[in-house]
């Protein structure tokens, strides 16, 4: 597999289950090392960067994301640096109606396991919160791996509608098995049988 992504590009990687899409981004995140070949960031082998420094430049939402029995705010930012920015990201991810109905707003606890006033959220709502956390992180690269798999079609369309606005001018990689969900992309990379078969616009 060989391709180049330019800074600020919105790239979709499309392929059937098992094509190698998730493995590719997990290599990019340095969860694994390539057994052959090299991934470069600014012409430097990614494994030559200091690990924590490298990870600070990536925000990713995988299908098996994890959230905590903390407040909605703390699930996005544990350091409480900028409450207004946290609220904005949560709303932009499509949870504005939910937040507006909560007495404690973003200070509401997720899960009733440890807090009586905690709330239980649907799978789609949890996915939106995970997406908000990725948007909030000031990273150079955002990776979304099938981020709308638990969302209904209307909620999915809402995420796509605001996608460009949310990722701003950051580089983004969006993984999907549906071509229809990649209209917003600058280019689509089609992977089949662990090979790049085509790179082009949606059109």
């Amino acid at each position: 597999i060989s391709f180049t992504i330019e800074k600020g590009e919105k790239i979709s990687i499309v392929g059937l289950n098992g094509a190698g899409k998730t493995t590719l981004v997990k290599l990019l995140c340095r969860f694994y090392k390539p057994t052959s070949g090299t991934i470069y960031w600014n012409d430097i082998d990614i494994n030559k960067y200091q690990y924590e420094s490298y990870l600070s430049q990536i925000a990713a939402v995988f299908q098996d994301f994890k959230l905590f029995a903390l407040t909605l705010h703390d699930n996005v930012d544990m350091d409480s640096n900028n409450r207004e920015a946290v609220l904005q990201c949560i709303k932009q991810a499509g949870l504005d109606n939910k937040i507006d109905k909560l007495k404690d707003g973003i200070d509401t606890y997720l899960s009733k396991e440890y807090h009586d006033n905690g709330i239980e959220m649907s799978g789609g709502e949890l996915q939106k919160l995970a997406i908000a956390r990725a948007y909030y992180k000031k990273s150079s690269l955002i990776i979304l791996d099938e981020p709308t798999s638990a969302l209904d079609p209307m909620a999915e369309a809402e995420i796509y509608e605001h996608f460009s606005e949310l990722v701003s001018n950051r580089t983004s990689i969006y993984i999907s098995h549906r071509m229809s969900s990649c209209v917003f992309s600058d280019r689509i990379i089609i992977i089949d049988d662990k090979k790049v078969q085509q790179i082009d616009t949606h059109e």
Side-chain angles (χ1 to χ4, degrees):
I1 282 181
S2 181
F3 58 86
T4 301
I5 297 174
E6 302 296 337
K7 180 180 178 181
E9 269 196 305
K10 294 170 183 60
I11 297 293
S12 286
I13 298 177
V14 179
L16 299 173
N17 290 336
K21 307 183 301 293
T22 298
T23 302
L24 182 61
V25 292
K26 287 187 175 179
L27 285 165
L28 188 57
C29 291
R30 287 176 61 179
F31 294 163
Y32 317 126
K33 279 190 175 181
T35 50
S36 65
T38 309
I39 299 171
Y40 297 97
W41 188 316
N42 292 339
D43 297 325
I44 296 171
D45 181 343
I46 61 171
N47 289 298
K48 291 185 176 175
Y49 287 103
Q50 197 267 340
Y51 188 64
E52 285 75 16
S53 173
Y54 181 80
L55 288 190
S56 73
Q57 293 304 313
I58 298 176
V61 180
F62 292 100
Q63 289 177 345
D64 54 350
F65 63 86
K66 295 288 183 282
L67 294 169
F68 307 97
L70 302 170
T71 65
L72 301 183
H73 173 280
D74 288 348
N75 269 286
V76 174
D77 175 27
M78 287 191 182
D79 296 326
S80 303
N81 289 330
N82 190 335
R83 290 178 59 82
E84 190 54 44
V86 170
L87 177 60
Q88 189 65 23
C89 284
I90 291 174
K91 286 190 169 186
Q92 282 183 311
L95 289 171
D96 44 346
N97 290 335
K98 183 80 174 181
I99 294 295
D100 291 342
K101 291 174 185 169
L102 297 174
K103 181 171 69 73
D104 296 322
I106 59 174
D107 295 314
T108 304
Y109 279 89
L110 189 60
S111 168
K112 295 181 180 291
E113 194 171 352
Y114 303 112
H115 302 277
D116 292 337
N117 68 336
I119 59 165
E120 300 293 342
M121 296 175 83
S122 69
E125 288 170 336
L126 293 172
Q127 207 155 21
K128 287 180 179 181
L129 189 60
I131 290 170
R133 180 169 61 191
Y135 290 151
Y136 181 77
K137 185 177 178 183
K138 298 296 180 278
S139 61
S140 304
L141 174 65
I142 292 181
I143 297 171
L144 301 178
D145 184 6
E146 302 272 10
T148 57
S149 59
L151 303 183
D152 61 64
M154 291 294 285
E156 185 179 40
E158 189 181 4
I159 292 288
Y160 300 148
E161 192 178 324
H162 298 294
F163 186 81
S164 295
E165 173 191 337
L166 286 163
V167 299
S168 186
N169 54 1
R170 290 184 275 180
T171 309
S172 60
I173 297 175
Y174 183 92
I175 295 176
S176 179
H177 60 270
R178 282 202 301 251
M179 192 70 80
S180 59
S181 61
C182 304
V183 180
F184 58 81
S185 306
D186 296 319
R187 288 186 299 152
I188 297 172
I189 298 171
I190 299 174
I191 294 182
D192 187 33
D193 193 25
K194 303 174 181 64
K195 295 187 180 77
V196 173
Q197 300 294 350
Q198 194 175 1
I199 303 177
D200 213 329
T201 64
H202 184 271
E203 188 180 330

